[in-house]
Amino acid sequence: MINSTDFRTGLTIEIDGGVWQIVDFQHVKPGKGAAFVRTKIKNVETGAVVERTFNPNEKMPAAHLETQNMQFLYEADGMYTFMNTESYEQVELNKEQLGDALNYLMENMEVSIQTFKGRIIGIQLPNSVNLKVIECEPSVKGNTATGATKMAKVETGYEVRVPLFINEGEVLRIDTRTGNYIERA
């Protein structure tokens, strides 16, 4: 059990049978009345973020998440198959469970899958991935005075804003947390 005064950013707790991660917290001591802890918590399964206040003597059970390293194998009929790299056990996930991770997922990519009480609740990608540009407008020389950007489609079908000098066939490094172009790989 975790006391609400021990909350820290990134801590996972169990509330009403759901797993929540603390995004932000603040200990508030008003001039009049009892102190409380104001938190912003995110549901790990749905991604919903809510603000909630807790009394300082309130206790919450800690949610222990298990992380397994897995490799993405293939997609068939909307189901995405992953293999545990240690036990070779295979797991299938659907599009809803993967969410935005689909924009960056390539065959044979190593990912971490988080489980809670045997239930898959999330996927963690590497911080950046290298993806090949398959479609973009050709670059025009002398058109770079203001750091302008254009849209480029990468091999996963994801569209990202890139500088004007990027051409088809180039490999880009893309940040999986924000979805932004970082550099040429």
Side-chain angles (χ1 to χ4, degrees), residues 13-86:
I13 56 176
E14 203 176 333
I15 302 174
D16 301 328
V19 181
W20 298 81
Q21 185 174 34
I22 297 172
V23 177
D24 191 26
F25 71 97
Q26 182 180 21
H27 294 281
V28 180
K29 297 177 188 166
K32 201 174 198 179
F36 59 91
V37 180
R38 181 180 295 135
T39 60
K40 192 180 283 189
I41 53 178
K42 175 179 152 187
N43 187 315
V44 178
E45 297 174 64
T46 64
V49 177
V50 296
E51 288 191 18
R52 185 165 170 181
T53 57
F54 296 94
N55 291 327
N57 57 356
E58 213 171 330
K59 292 183 185 281
M60 299 282 143
H64 299 288
L65 301 180
E66 295 177 21
T67 303
Q68 300 175 4
N69 290 329
M70 296 209 170
Q71 182 180 29
F72 173 58
L73 298 178
Y74 60 88
E75 181 266 335
D77 300 325
M79 296 302 286
Y80 296 80
T81 304
F82 293 84
M83 178 183 70
N84 188 321
T85 54
E86 294 170 8

Side-chain angles (χ1 to χ4, degrees), residues 126-169:
N127 290 340
S128 64
V129 292
N130 295 337
L131 298 172
K132 185 177 181 180
V133 177
I134 58 166
E135 185 181 310
C136 75
E137 299 170 17
S139 58
V140 179
K141 195 170 180 91
N143 196 10
T144 58
T146 60
T149 60
K150 63 183 178 180
M151 295 303 288
K153 186 182 240 182
V154 293
E155 54 194 315
T156 61
Y158 180 62
E159 291 192 2
V160 61
R161 287 207 160 279
V162 297
L164 294 176
F165 57 81
I166 299 295
N167 295 311
E168 282 185 29

